C-alpha cells in the first residue's frame, strides 16, 4: 500500500513578541502587518504548523513548530518578514508579515559641555536655558552636544555637529551672545537649547590684591585664633585656681570688659599682627582670685580647711565633703588695629563655664563649655565678619610633687561665620555663610613658691589650635562673587613666664597686686588659600593668610580687691611687644562674685 505524503503547508497559529498581527491570524490569510514603537529594535515569531510532518522557517531560519524564532532585527521603517511552511510532499506556502517600526521622537540632549566657563545651572536634559559668564579675554567658545538618540541630528549656531564632537568656535562680542543648540529627532521632532554666554566688558581684577578680600580672609583667621585662645586662657585661669583647694571650691561668676589698641606697624603685609597667645580676649590673660592669707596654700583635700571670705562654704567642710565645684565667667572685649592694609575694629563677647571634681589628693578634673561671638569691621566701606563658636572641653590639674603642677586642656569647637564684603569695582555688596571646626589644647608646667599671703611661680606652657574654615561661594555680587577654598589656621606656641602676687590686708578687704611677665614664640607659619571668581573655575588666585608675630614679650599688672560677701573688683593693664615692630596695649576691669 502506497500512501502519499501530506500536502498540508498551512499554519495553525502565528504570534509575535511585540505588537499585534493585523488582521487576526487565519490559516487562510497570508498577509499581515505589525506596528512597533521606535524603542523596539527586534521581534520574534512563534509559528505552529497544521501537519506534524511539515517544516517552517522565519526570515530564512528554520524554527521548530510551536517554538520562538531567533530575534529579527527591525530597522526604522517597513520590513517584510516571510514565514514559509513546507509540507511533507514538498509543497510550500509563504505567510508575509510587514513590520513597521516608528521613527524616534527623542529630541533631547544627554550632555552638553562648553569650552570656557561653566553652565549655570548644571546641565539637565529637560532644562533648555543656561547662562555662562566668561572673562573679557575669552573671544570664542565651542559647545559639545551629545544626543540621547543616536538617530537624532544636532546643530550649534545653525551648523551641523556630530554628536559627541565639539562645534566650530562661536565668536563672542562683549556682552551677551545667545547660542542655539537644536536637536532634530528621527521623526523630525525638534527641541532647542539656548546658552546665553556673557563676555565681560573688561578684565576683572586679581581679588587676592583687594584689601577688602584680604581683610575678610584674615578677619576669619584671627577670629578662629581668638576663639581658641579665649578658651585656652579661660580654662588656664581655672586650672590655676585648682592649685589651691580653697580657690577651687569658691564657686564664682566673673564678668570682665577690656579695651585693646594696637599701635601702627611698619610691616604692610599682615592684616593682623597679634601674637597667637595675644588676642582681644585679654580678660583671660590674668590669674586672679588666688589664695589669700585666710586660705590654706596647696591641696589639702583630706583635712578640714578654712575658706576665703565669701566662699559660701562652712569652715568645717573638707575637700572630700565638697568634691564638686562650679565656675563661670563672661566678657566683652573691644579692640582697634590700625596696622596692615585696612583698619580693623573688633568686638568679642563670650561665656565660659565648667564643673570640676576632685578625684584624689593629687588630681582634679572637669568638663566645660564655651560660647564666643566675634564681630570685626574691616575698613570704612561696610565690610565685616561675624563669627560664633560653640565649644566643649576637658581639663585637669595633676600634682606629682609638692608645689609642682601639670595642667592640661583639650577641647573642640564648631564655628560659623557670616561675611559682608564691599565689592571695590562696583560698589556693591557680596555676602556669604560658612562653617568650620576647631581643635585646641594646652599643657602647662608650673612651680609655685608660697608663704603668708604671697606667691611666686615660674611656668612653661605649650598651646596649639587647628581651625578649618570650609570652602564657600559668595552671592549677591553677580560676576564679582568669589569662590573660596578651604582655609586652615594653625597655631603652635611655646611660652615661658613668671607670675607673682602679694596679699595686703586692708580694713575693707584684701588687696592683691599681681605682676606677670611672659615670653612667647609662635612656631606656626603662614598658610595659603585659593580663590577664584565664582562663575568660572579655570583661573584661580592664591592668597596668604596673615601670620601672627613670631616673638612677643607680654607684661601685665593686675590689682584686685576681695571684699566681704564674696565680691571682688579689679583692673589691669597689659602691653605686648612683638617682632615686626608690633605693639598693643590693653586695659580691663572686672567684677566677680562668689556663691
Amino acid at each position: 500500500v502506497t500512501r502519499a505524503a501530506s500536502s498540508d503547508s498551512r499554519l495553525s497559529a502565528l504570534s509575535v513578541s511585540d505588537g499585534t498581527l493585523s488582521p487576526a491570524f487565519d490559516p487562510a490569510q497570508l498577509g499581515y502587518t505589525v506596528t512597533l514603537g521606535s524603542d523596539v529594535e527586534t521581534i520574534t515569531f512563534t509559528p505552529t504548523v497544521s501537519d506534524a510532518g511539515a517544516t517552517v522557517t522565519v526570515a530564512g531560519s528554520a524554527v521548530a513548530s510551536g517554538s520562538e524564532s531567533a530575534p529579527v532585527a527591525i530597522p526604522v521603517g517597513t520590513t517584510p518578514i516571510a514565514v514559509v511552511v513546507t509540507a511533507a510532499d514538498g509543497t510550500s506556502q509563504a505567510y508575509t508579515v510587514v513590520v513597521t517600526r516608528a521613527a524616534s521622537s527623542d529630541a533631547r540632549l544627554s550632555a552638553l559641555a562648553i569650552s570656557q566657563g561653566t553652565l549655570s545651572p548644571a546641565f539637565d536634559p529637560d532644562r533648555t536655558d543656561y547662562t555662562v559668564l566668561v572673562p573679557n579675554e575669552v573671544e570664542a567658545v565651542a559647545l559639545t552636544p551629545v544626543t540621547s538618540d543616536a538617530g537624532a541630528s544636532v546643530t550649534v549656531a545653525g551648523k551641523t555637529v556630530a554628536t559627541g564632537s565639539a562645534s566650530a568656535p562661536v565668536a563672542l562680542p562683549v556682552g551677551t551672545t545667545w547660542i542655539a543648540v537644536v536637536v532634530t529627532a528621527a521623526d523630525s521632532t525638534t527641541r532647542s537649547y539656548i546658552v546665553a554666554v556673557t563676555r565681560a566688558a573688561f578684565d576683572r581684577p586679581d581679588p587676592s590684591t583687594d584689601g577688602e578680600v584680604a581683610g575678610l580672609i584674615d578677619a576669619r583667621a584671627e577670629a578662629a585664633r581668638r576663639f581658641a585662645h579665649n578658651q585656652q586662657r579661660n580654662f588656664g585661669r581655672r586650672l590655676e585656681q585648682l592649685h589651691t583647694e580653697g580657690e577651687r571650691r569658691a564657686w564664682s561668676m566673673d564678668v570682665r570688659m577690656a579695651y585693646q589698641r594696637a599701635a601702627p606697624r611698619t610691616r604692610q603685609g599682615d592684616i593682623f599682627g597679634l601674637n597667637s597667645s595675644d588676642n582681644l580676649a585679654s580678660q583671660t590673660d590674668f590669674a586672679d582670685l588666688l589664695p589669700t592669707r585666710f586660705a590654706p596654700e596647696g591641696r589639702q583635700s583630706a583635712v578640714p580647711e578654712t575658706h576665703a571670705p565669701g566662699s559660701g562654704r562652712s569652715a568645717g567642710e573638707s575637700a572630700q565633703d565638697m568634691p564638686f565645684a562650679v565656675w563661670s565667667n563672661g566678657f566683652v572685649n573691644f579692640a582697634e588695629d590700625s596696622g596692615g592694609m585696612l583698619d580693623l575694629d573688633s568686638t568679642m563677647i563670650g561665656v565660659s563655664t565648667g564643673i570640676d571634681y576632685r578625684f584624689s589628693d593629687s588630681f582634679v578634673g572637669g568638663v566645660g563649655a564655651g560660647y564666643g561671638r566675634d564681630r570685626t569691621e574691616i575698613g570704612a566701606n561696610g565690610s565685616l565678619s561675624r563669627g560664633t563658636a560653640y565649644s566643649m572641653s576637658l581639663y585637669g590639674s595633676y600634682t606629682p610633687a609638692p608645689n609642682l603642677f601639670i595642667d592640661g586642656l583639650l577641647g573642640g569647637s564648631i564655628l560659623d561665620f557670616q561675611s559682608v564684603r564691599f565689592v571695590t569695582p562696583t560698589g556693591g555688596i557680596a555676602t556669604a555663610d560658612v562653617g568650620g571646626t576647631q581643635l585646641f589644647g594646652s599643657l602647662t608646667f608650673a612651680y609655685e613658691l608660697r608663704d603668708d599671703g604671697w606667691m611666686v611661680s615660674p611656668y612653661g606652657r605649650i598651646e596649639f589650635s587647628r581651625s578649618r574654615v570650609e570652602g564657600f561661594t559668595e552671592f549677591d555680587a553677580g560676576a564679582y562673587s568669589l569662590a573660596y577654598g578651604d582655609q586652615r589656621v594653625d597655631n603652635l606656641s611655646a611660652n615661658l613666664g613668671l607670675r607673682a602676687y602679694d596679699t595686703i590686708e586692708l580694713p575693707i578687704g584684701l588687696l592683691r597686686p599681681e605682676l606677670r611677665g611672659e615670653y612667647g614664640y609662635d612656631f606656626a607659619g603662614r598658610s595659603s588659600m585659593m580663590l577664584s571668581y565664582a562663575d568660572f573655575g579655570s583661573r584661580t588666585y592664591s592668597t596668604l593668610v596673615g601670620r601672627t608675630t613670631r616673638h612677643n614679650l607680654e607684661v601685665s599688672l593686675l590689682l584686685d580687691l576681695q571684699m566681704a560677701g564674696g565680691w571682688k573688683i579689679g583692673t589691669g593693664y597689659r602691653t605686648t611687644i612683638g617682632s615686626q615692630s608690633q605693639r598693643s596695649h590693653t586695659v580691663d576691669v572686672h567684677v566677680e562674685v562668689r556663691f
Side-chain angles (χ1 to χ4, degrees):
V1 177
T2 302
R3 179 184 176 188
S6 173
S7 62
D8 188 351
S9 58
R10 296 175 303 161
L11 289 174
S12 63
L14 179 64
S15 62
V16 291
S17 58
D18 290 281
T20 303
L21 289 175
S22 180
F25 180 75
D26 180 348
Q29 175 70 37
L30 300 182
Y32 300 90
T33 61
V34 175
T35 301
L36 302 178
S38 63
D39 58 332
V40 181
E41 299 179 349
T42 63
I43 190 172
T44 63
F45 295 81
T46 303
T48 303
V49 297
S50 294
D51 181 70
T55 59
V56 62
T57 63
V58 175
S61 299
V63 181
S65 177
S67 299
E68 189 177 48
S69 70
V72 180
I74 306 297
V76 173
T78 301
T79 303
I81 300 172
V83 180
V84 179
V85 182
T86 302
D89 68 351
T91 302
S92 64
Q93 182 170 237
Y95 294 80
T96 302
V97 181
V98 178
V99 181
T100 302
R101 179 185 172 189
S104 173
S105 61
D106 188 352
R108 297 179 304 159
L109 291 175
S110 62
L112 180 63
I114 191 167
S115 59
Q116 297 287 337
T118 303
L119 292 176
S120 179
F123 179 76
D124 180 344
D126 296 322
R127 185 183 180 99
T128 58
D129 57 307
Y130 299 89
T131 60
V132 178
L133 298 176
V134 297
N136 179 263
E137 60 263 26
V138 177
E139 298 179 348
V141 294
L143 296 172
T144 302
V146 180
T147 60
S148 295
D149 182 69
S153 60
V154 61
T155 62
V156 174
K159 297 181 180 180
T160 301
V161 179
T163 181
S165 300
S167 70
V170 179
L172 299 176
V174 171
T176 301
T177 300
W178 286 268
I179 303 175
V181 180
V182 180
V183 183
T184 302
D187 70 347
S188 298
T189 300
T190 62
R191 171 176 285 196
S192 296
Y193 294 81
I194 304 298
V195 181
V197 183
T198 300
R199 177 186 174 191
F202 54 88
D203 287 340
R204 288 174 288 190
D206 179 351
S208 65
T209 63
D210 189 324
E212 307 285 342
V213 175
L216 279 170
I217 291 173
D218 278 349
R220 284 188 290 267
E222 285 303 315
R225 288 191 180 101
R226 288 196 294 271
F227 285 139
H229 187 60
N230 288 339
Q231 298 304 318
Q232 289 165 337
R233 282 295 178 261
N234 285 347
F235 283 91
R237 175 170 167 247
R238 178 57 180 174
L239 286 165
E240 288 180 346
Q241 291 178 330
L242 300 185
H243 297 176
T244 303
E245 187 62 25
E247 289 293 329
R248 184 188 79 85
R249 285 190 286 148
W251 295 18
S252 62
M253 181 174 65
D254 186 9
V255 179
R256 292 175 173 242
M257 297 186 66
Y259 171 77
Q260 182 180 56
R261 183 176 181 85
R265 303 188 297 273
T266 58
R267 177 178 172 130
Q268 294 294 318
D270 296 331
I271 299 299
F272 287 84
L274 303 179
N275 181 266
S276 59
S277 61
D278 179 7
N279 59 43
L280 306 186
S282 60
Q283 84 292 339
T284 59
D285 286 359
F286 307 123
D288 54 7
L289 294 177
L290 294 177
T292 71
R293 70 181 63 202
F294 301 106
E297 311 290 343
R299 294 174 175 163
Q300 302 175 12
S301 60
V303 297
E305 179 178 3
T306 302
H307 293 271
S311 64
R313 304 290 181 264
S314 66
E317 288 178 331
S318 70
Q320 292 180 341
D321 296 328
M322 294 298 299
F324 288 99
V326 176
W327 60 276
S328 64
N329 60 53
F331 56 85
V332 179
N333 293 302
F334 308 93
E336 296 181 13
D337 188 343
S338 59
M341 299 169 64
L342 293 175
D343 292 343
L344 302 168
D345 296 331
S346 303
T347 302
M348 175 167 278
I349 301 172
V351 176
S352 297
T353 186
I355 181 171
D356 42 64
Y357 180 83
R358 173 168 292 286
F359 292 89
S360 69
D361 288 352
S362 59
F363 179 71
V364 177
V367 61
Y371 168 79
R373 186 172 183 88
D374 180 83
R375 174 188 169 98
T376 302
E377 298 180 1
I378 297 97
N381 295 317
S383 294
L384 63 89
S385 173
R386 301 184 186 94
T388 56
Y390 301 88
S391 65
M392 291 293 295
S393 302
L394 298 174
Y395 62 96
S397 180
Y398 174 62
T399 308
N403 301 325
L404 178 62
F405 302 93
I406 302 175
D407 301 333
L409 167 69
L410 182 63
S413 301
I414 297 176
L415 308 178
D416 181 69
F417 292 96
Q418 301 88 40
S419 66
V420 176
R421 177 175 66 88
F422 175 78
V423 182
T424 303
T426 66
I429 291 295
T431 59
D433 297 310
V434 58
T437 56
Q438 183 178 80
L439 181 68
F440 59 86
S442 65
L443 184 64
T444 303
F445 296 85
Y447 187 82
E448 296 183 353
L449 298 174
R450 297 177 181 271
D451 203 345
D452 187 24
W454 62 264
M455 189 276 295
V456 176
S457 174
Y459 62 90
R461 182 177 63 252
I462 297 175
E463 294 179 330
F464 79 91
S465 66
R466 166 162 286 191
S467 307
R468 176 179 173 269
V469 181
E470 300 169 355
F472 64 97
T473 300
E474 293 177 331
F475 47 93
D476 296 336
Y480 291 91
S481 293
L482 298 176
Y484 298 77
D486 286 358
Q487 180 179 357
R488 197 180 73 182
V489 183
D490 291 334
N491 178 66
L492 176 63
S493 63
N495 304 272
L496 294 175
L498 179 71
R499 67 187 183 99
Y501 67 79
D502 191 15
T503 304
I504 303 171
E505 188 172 353
L506 300 176
I508 60 174
L510 302 175
L511 181 67
R512 193 183 71 191
E514 178 180 336
L515 179 66
R516 183 192 295 258
E518 182 175 299
Y519 167 78
Y521 181 81
D522 181 13
F523 294 93
R526 301 178 74 177
S527 60
S528 63
M529 66 172 296
M530 305 302 294
L531 69 155
S532 67
Y533 286 102
D535 51 38
F536 65 100
S538 59
R539 183 173 182 182
T540 57
Y541 307 87
S542 177
T543 184
L544 291 176
V545 180
R547 188 194 68 192
T548 58
T549 179
R550 285 288 193 186
H551 304 269
N552 71 90
L553 177 63
E554 175 184 300
V555 178
S556 60
L557 177 63
L558 294 176
L559 194 62
D560 289 333
L561 178 61
Q562 175 76 57
M563 298 179 292
W567 288 90
K568 177 188 288 188
I569 60 174
T571 185
Y573 168 78
R574 178 166 58 99
T575 182
T576 302
I577 303 172
S579 57
Q580 305 164 4
S581 302
Q582 296 171 354
R583 186 166 184 170
S584 65
H585 307 273
T586 303
V587 177
D588 83 346
V589 294
H590 71 274
V591 177
E592 178 183 304
V593 60
R594 295 179 173 182
F595 54 93

